[in-house]
Each structure stands twice: as structure tokens, then as C-alpha cells.
Amino acid sequence: MKAIIFNCTLKPSPIVSNTEALANEVIKELERLGAETKLIRIADHDVKAGSKSDMGNGDAWPAILEELLASDILIMASPTWVGQMSSVAMRVLERMNGLYPVKNNSGMPVNFNKVAGFVVTGEEDGARHVVSEMAGGLMDIGFTIAPQCYTYWNNGPGPGTAYLKTDFRKDWSIETAKAVAANVMAVAQALKNTPIIYER
């Protein structure tokens, strides 16, 4: 089972990412359960604006897309800014729009039988909204959304301390990250054994 994790922080490497720190908890559990994982920090790559799979002129998305298409599981990890997913996460979803007409070897939409999960961090609330927006976008292009497939952390009402600078309720977020890994793995395995196939 292969899982790809898109860290959609606004921060390029080597700046520390709170979102990546929580995503790593999901990754650890995925690997313990036997998945092969790869994390890509999107901000480290020149992903052009657009809605096609290749925008030309040095666009980094086609190579990232190859990694996605070779995976069974996608974990979208985004910080919360002004109550919304990051602009990087939105760009990733926009670029995935180019997959609408693409079919797999069985003639099915290429994202069918792929499973999605989510990680969200932020100093203020908005995580559930961000999860809903990302899940809706991925479901629209063919991903299966596993039950209880997200973990998040926020500091409570009002601005506060970042995830890596506090112990506030991190135990819940980490335990929930383990559940995310278990649930996406279970659904991905079920789809591997009994894939969605129908005549179009």
C-alpha cells in the first residue's frame, strides 16, 4: 500500500512546519501498519497556477502528479488561514481538476479506488471547515473519503501558540492521527480487494 502526503504549508523548507509535525504522526502509524509513504512539501516546488495537469514552462506539478497516481492513499495536510485551507492546498485541488477526463486501465476515473485523509493545524479554529472543503473537492474528482479520516489541532478560541510550542491537547490530535491511518488503510485495502468497477 502506497500513501502520499501533501504538506500544504505556506512555508518552504527548511522552515519548521507545524502542519508537517502533526502529519508525521499519521505517517508513523501508516508505516507501522505497513504502508510505504512519501511526504511532499508543495511549497518547495514550482507548482504553477492552473487547472490542467501540465501548465508547461517548468511546472513541477506533472512529476508530483505521477507520485499521486502511483499511490493508493492521499493525505492532504493544510494549515488554517483566515478560517480557510491554505492557498497552497487550494492550488493542489485546482491542479487535480485536470484529472477529470483521465481514466485508469479499467476505463474508470483515475482517482476511483483511491482513499483520502486529512490533517489540519491552526492557532485558531476553522479545522472542520477546512476538512469539509478539502474532502468535498477530492470526493468530486473520484476519491473515496474514509470514515473519521481527519485529525486536527488548534489552540482554542482566539489567536494563540503554535502546535510545536505547546502541549495543549496534542495527545488527542496524536491519538486521532493513529485512527486516521488505520481507517484510510482499512478502506484502501477493501478497495484493493474489491475495487469499484461499473460500466460507464
Side-chain angles (χ1 to χ4, degrees):
M1 201 67 66
K2 292 184 178 180
I4 192 164
I5 300 86
F6 289 160
N7 178 9
C8 296
T9 177
L10 300 181
K11 304 167 184 172
S13 299
I15 302 172
V16 173
S17 165
N18 293 284
T19 301
E20 191 163 306
L22 183 52
N24 279 332
E25 300 295 338
V26 177
I27 291 169
K28 283 191 292 186
E29 187 66 8
L30 284 169
E31 291 178 346
R32 191 189 71 80
L33 293 170
E36 176 186 335
T37 67
K38 182 167 186 175
L39 185 143
I40 298 177
R41 190 184 290 207
I42 302 295
D44 289 344
H45 304 273
D46 186 12
V47 175
K48 305 289 187 185
S51 60
K52 297 180 181 180
S53 292
D54 190 344
M55 298 303 296
N57 299 320
D59 183 19
W61 179 250
I64 295 171
L65 181 58
E66 284 188 20
E67 299 278 1
L68 172 63
L69 293 176
S71 299
D72 306 291
I73 295 166
L74 168 64
I75 303 295
M76 284 282 290
S78 175
T80 307
W81 291 108
V82 293
Q84 309 293 322
M85 74 178 87
S86 73
S87 59
V88 174
M90 178 56 74
R91 177 160 296 189
V92 166
L93 292 178
E94 290 168 344
R95 295 305 303 274
M96 285 191 200
N97 184 75
L99 294 175
Y100 265 118
V102 182
K103 302 294 188 293
N104 62 24
N105 292 334
S106 301
M108 305 291 292
V110 72
N111 290 321
F112 273 38
N113 301 307
K114 294 184 183 296
V115 182
F118 308 93
V119 174
V120 179
T121 61
E123 294 175 25
E124 297 186 58
D125 203 359
R128 288 175 181 263
H129 169 75
V130 171
V131 168
S132 296
E133 292 289 300
M134 292 193 294
L138 292 180
M139 181 174 60
D140 195 46
I141 57 172
F143 281 83
T144 297
I145 309 302
Q148 296 185 339
C149 61
Y150 67 91
T151 188
Y152 70 92
W153 179 89
N154 63 55
N155 195 71
T161 306
Y163 175 80
L164 285 169
K165 295 182 179 178
T166 181
D167 289 326
F168 176 71
R169 297 214 65 189
K170 286 169 75 171
D171 54 342
W172 180 89
S173 300
I174 291 168
E175 285 304 308
T176 307
K178 294 177 183 178
V180 170
N183 291 349
V184 296
M185 281 284 285
V187 174
Q189 189 61 60
L191 288 171
K192 181 82 73 177
N193 295 337
T194 311
I196 302 168
I197 299 175
Y198 63 87
E199 297 294 330
R200 298 221 50 172

